[in-house]
Amino acid sequence: MEFKYDDPFMNTGDRTISEMGRFARQYVHSDPTSCIVKQGMIVEYIVTTFLRETGYCSDSGWDMGISEKLQILKDEGYWNMDLYHIANTIRKHRNKAVHQFKCEEAVCRKMMKPLEEICLWYGRYHSESDSSVREGGTSKKEELQEVLWNFNLSHEAKGILDDLDNLAD
């Protein structure tokens, strides 16, 4: 997939993520708490989209928290540990910021790299799944797992997440 923009949020092909990503980036320095909340919203949106596509939830709503949703994606083999790690770390920092009414600018700034990587991967996933025709005998779950397990977090982003994990606890 060739990307049209320098901005990973724009390259998802998803207007909701593009808008939330724009706001998250805009708030990194001026309002880090709003930034981390937007980052969490992006993750929750992506997680819910995948669960909807796999048949675990419908458009009409779903009373389950993000941690339970993430656990389903991991346990059912839809998400590998890198994807789970990004989403869970952002979830922890968002929860901490909401309960303490603050988030450090450094946390938001550092979290942008892993979030950008998951958004770029999400854009690739959607462009591949929209343009490909399933071969006979391949289930939707098998098709999703093949694409989802191809996500590899960069060394830089892994280091950032490891540092941020220690701050969230």
Side-chain angles (χ1 to χ4, degrees), residues 8-23:
F9 302 114
M10 293 292 290
N11 283 321
T12 62
D14 188 299
R15 186 177 175 162
T16 301
I17 291 176
S18 297
E19 285 297 307
M20 286 190 286
R22 183 175 62 82
F23 284 122

Side-chain angles (χ1 to χ4, degrees), residues 7-12 16-28 32 34-47 66 70 79 82-91 93-94 107-124 151-154 156-158 160-161 164:
D7 184 346
F9 302 114
M10 293 292 290
N11 283 321
T12 62
T16 301
I17 291 176
S18 297
E19 285 297 307
M20 286 190 286
R22 183 175 62 82
F23 284 122
R25 185 169 283 119
Q26 183 179 354
Y27 294 144
V28 167
S34 293
C35 174
I36 198 73
V37 169
K38 291 293 183 194
Q39 290 176 357
M41 289 170 66
I42 292 168
V43 167
E44 187 139 9
Y45 178 83
I46 291 172
V47 166
I66 183 69
L70 284 170
W79 277 28
D82 285 344
L83 287 167
Y84 179 82
H85 193 189
I86 293 171
N88 200 42
T89 302
I90 291 173
R91 178 195 66 78
H93 281 282
R94 179 183 68 172
V107 169
C108 293
R109 193 173 17 83
K110 288 179 180 181
M111 193 57 76
M112 291 303 284
K113 174 69 175 160
L115 182 64
E116 288 172 353
E117 288 188 24
I118 201 172
C119 287
L120 283 171
W121 165 82
Y122 177 84
R124 275 195 293 281
F151 177 81
N152 291 306
L153 191 59
S154 72
E156 177 187 1
K158 281 184 184 186
I160 290 167
L161 287 174
L164 291 172

